[in-house]
Amino acid sequence: MGFDHRTDDCPREEKVEIQAGPVRLAGDLAVPDEGLGLVMFAHGSGSSRASPRNRFVATALNQVGLGTLLFDLLTPAEEADRANVFDIELLARRLVDTTAWLRERPEASGLRVGYFGASTGAAAALCAAAEPEADVAAVVSRGGRPDLAASRLRHVTAPTLLIVGSRDEVVIELNRQAQALMRCESRLTIVPGATHLFEEPGTLETVAQLAREWFLDHLAPIGQRSRGT
């Protein structure tokens, strides 16, 4: 499936190298002038910052004034060991470290940060959001496995939106169980006709719209939250 990634409405994307603990990670950072907030993407197992689905959502966020950071959670050498791909604790630590790195960037000054996680990346995002030092303002999960973060869910304080396809029945139930453990503001939204990867016509557009509204509501300064909706 092909997606249009960038449009004239989007800010210029900058290639960045992130210092996350002992390693350096490759990323793509796009921050609009007078950005309303910043969203960091945590991709699922077997994916990378080049994920066309995450890039589609990132473009939708950029178009309404939200900055985005898509980055590889592992180095190429680490990815060679499949155990690392499913090491939620390691991936969450990388997210926390990268959040600290991002906040040191001048273009991020004063902007609230959110996480968008897909599949196993959603578990990493929620584990990272449970860490007070991350200071995350909102989380969105697409086809996520929040159950893999079960032990940390009660510590998440950031408002969390769980998006699941109606034909992804097992994952719907896992999300319901995970939501029952959460103490923060949360919402489970089921996209009609969608399977796990949201490959059906119009379903990924629905995900992008839901994510855009959630992040604008929780990241943008009061008075600017209706922009782009």
Side-chain angles (χ1 to χ4, degrees):
M1 178 188 288
F3 302 114
D4 292 328
H5 302 326
R6 317 305 301 174
T7 73
D8 291 340
D9 298 327
C10 292
R12 182 180 65 85
E13 189 173 80
E14 177 187 357
K15 301 291 184 185
V16 294
E17 194 171 68
I18 300 156
Q19 187 68 47
V23 302
R24 299 185 75 83
L25 306 171
D28 300 316
L29 178 65
V31 183
D33 293 335
E34 300 180 2
L36 300 179
L38 273 168
V39 178
M40 300 171 58
F41 283 71
H43 52 75
S45 57
S47 188
S48 71
R49 73 184 190 281
S51 162
R53 292 172 181 80
N54 281 350
R55 286 191 166 272
F56 181 88
V57 174
T59 296
L61 299 181
N62 291 157
Q63 289 170 342
V64 295
L66 292 164
T68 53
L69 174 63
L70 295 106
F71 69 104
D72 293 334
L73 291 162
L74 299 170
T75 66
E78 289 171 336
E79 287 176 352
D81 182 350
R82 290 293 292 173
N84 289 328
V85 175
F86 297 97
D87 188 338
I88 303 300
E89 185 175 338
L90 171 63
L91 301 181
R93 173 45 52 186
R94 291 287 166 82
L95 266 173
V96 172
D97 289 344
T98 300
T99 305
W101 170 89
L102 181 61
R103 286 203 167 97
E104 294 297 318
R105 302 276 299 191
E107 59 267 70
S109 178
L111 297 182
R112 303 179 85 189
V113 174
Y115 291 157
F116 182 96
S119 190
T120 52
L126 286 163
C127 282
E131 297 298 325
E133 65 194 277
D135 191 22
V136 176
V139 178
V140 174
S141 162
R142 170 182 66 80
R145 291 292 309 277
D147 55 296
L148 297 177
S151 65
R152 304 295 296 152
L153 292 178
R154 65 188 180 90
H155 299 292
V156 177
T157 59
T160 299
L161 173 64
L162 307 170
I163 306 172
V164 187
S166 67
R167 296 164 61 189
D168 198 6
E169 296 177 2
V170 172
V171 174
I172 289 175
E173 184 55 33
L174 292 173
N175 274 255
R176 283 181 174 144
Q177 293 171 8
Q179 186 184 26
L181 298 174
M182 302 183 79
R183 298 177 178 176
C184 60
E185 174 190 352
S186 64
R187 181 187 304 165
L188 173 60
T189 298
I190 297 174
V191 178
T195 52
H196 186 64
L197 293 179
F198 296 88
E199 296 176 300
E200 297 71 26
T203 57
L204 194 62
E205 286 82 355
T206 298
V207 170
Q209 179 64 21
L210 291 167
R212 184 163 57 189
E213 293 173 356
W214 192 261
F215 284 127
L216 282 173
D217 282 347
H218 295 96
L219 300 186
I222 294 173
Q224 300 185 60
R225 294 184 177 182
S226 62
R227 178 174 164 183
T229 60

